[in-house]
Amino acid sequence: EDKVVQSPLSLVVHEGDTVTLNCSYEVTNFRSLLWYKQEKKAPTFLFMLTSSGIEKKSGRLSSILDKKELFSILNITATQTGDSAVYLCAGTGANSKLTFGKGITLSVRP
Amino acid sequence: EAQVTQNPRYLITVTGKKLTVTCSQNMNHEYMSWYRQDPGLGLRQIYYSMNVEVTDKGDVPEGYKVSRKEKRNFPLILESPSPNQTSLYFCASSYFTGQAGANVLTFGAGSRLTVL
């Protein structure tokens, strides 16, 4: 059975801090790792990673995949209160099936 | 506007009363899927469909049915709802990229269902 584990489950930081969110996976026929952000509504897409060691970057967010060690990290620098959300990672396996982790709740305090 | 539309957004019903949650997408996506989201359990896949007339079970299919008669629609049917199906439901769709397997889902806004 495919499994995706995220850590920590929650964290609280202050504006301006840098955070690292972790995602490890065991996915049969692994094809890609995706990160989503969920505020009090539907998840929205952040990154898709398919190759090891190639950093994807969007503004203050960046992510990288390690296919040897089966994990990915999502970094957020200079955090803002608008970054407060649940961050989901998901592994794509056979038949394009996504398996999601339980999510990491990030709270950014002013 | 490209979107996934699901209805109803909120529903309170009673045990055993059949209900259908509709899902429609206007992006000509082959792949559609239903998820439920529960506190502490994350998003879990109920059913998915890779194209018209092709559906398959996800991780938690018990108590649910789906159909895919048209490419744009993927309704979720609860034949006899029970309280343990109280949850937040998301429909999602994407292009089916086949070999690449990447599945950048577009999610609907969610349907909050309460079964009393």
Side-chain angles (χ1 to χ4, degrees):
Chain A
E1 183 181 326
D2 294 342
K3 190 164 69 170
V4 174
V5 178
Q6 295 185 248
S7 65
L9 289 182
S10 66
L11 72 162
V12 180
V13 300
H14 287 98
E15 271 193 319
D17 289 349
T18 293
V19 297
T20 297
L21 310 181
N22 302 296
C23 175
S24 65
Y25 64 90
E26 295 173 26
V27 175
T28 305
N29 295 324
F30 174 82
R31 294 175 177 184
S32 61
L33 191 290
L34 294 97
W35 284 95
Y36 287 84
K37 177 182 181 182
Q38 185 178 24
E39 298 165 275
K40 305 238 180 238
K41 48 188 179 179
T44 54
F45 171 73
L46 292 176
F47 296 111
M48 180 180 72
L49 303 152
T50 57
S51 302
S52 269
I54 299 174
E55 185 183 56
K56 292 279 184 95
K57 199 169 169 63
S58 176
R60 296 176 294 102
L61 277 66
S62 63
S63 185
I64 198 161
L65 175 68
D66 185 328
K67 292 170 77 172
K68 183 180 175 186
E69 300 297 330
L70 307 183
F71 78 89
S72 174
I73 60 172
L74 174 68
N75 279 321
I76 309 174
T77 58
T79 51
Q80 302 171 356
T81 55
D83 295 326
S84 295
V86 175
Y87 290 85
L88 302 166
C89 86
T92 306
N95 291 330
S96 288
K97 180 180 185 296
L98 260 72
T99 299
F100 282 87
K102 293 181 180 180
I104 297 171
T105 301
L106 173 64
S107 298
V108 182
R109 299 284 162 83
Chain B
E1 182 191 347
Q3 59 185 3
V4 177
T5 304
Q6 45 182 119
N7 284 295
R9 295 286 315 283
Y10 302 92
L11 179 63
I12 300 174
T13 190
V14 295
T15 299
K17 186 176 181 183
K18 180 179 178 180
L19 68 93
T20 299
V21 186
T22 63
C23 174
S24 181
Q25 50 93 3
N26 62 1
M27 296 166 282
N28 203 34
H29 285 165
E30 297 91 357
Y31 185 96
M32 297 186 74
S33 184
W34 277 102
Y35 294 87
R36 61 177 289 174
Q37 188 173 38
D38 303 289
L41 296 176
L43 278 164
R44 294 178 293 166
Q45 190 178 49
I46 303 170
Y47 269 94
Y48 65 97
S49 168
M50 290 196 281
N51 216 324
V52 176
E53 303 291 0
V54 180
T55 63
D56 210 345
K57 296 177 181 178
D59 298 314
V60 288
E62 295 78 20
Y64 304 94
K65 284 175 58 176
V66 293
S67 67
R68 188 91 183 272
K69 294 187 172 64
E70 305 163 287
K71 197 171 187 179
R72 63 182 293 128
N73 295 324
F74 191 45
L76 179 70
I77 303 155
L78 286 74
E79 293 271 3
S80 183
S82 62
N84 65 12
Q85 293 178 296
T86 293
S87 187
L88 177 59
Y89 291 87
F90 288 103
C91 180
S93 72
S94 80
Y95 291 110
F96 181 58
T97 52
Q99 187 173 1
N103 214 344
V104 180
L105 293 169
T106 301
F107 284 84
S111 296
R112 186 165 293 281
L113 171 65
T114 302
V115 183
L116 301 175

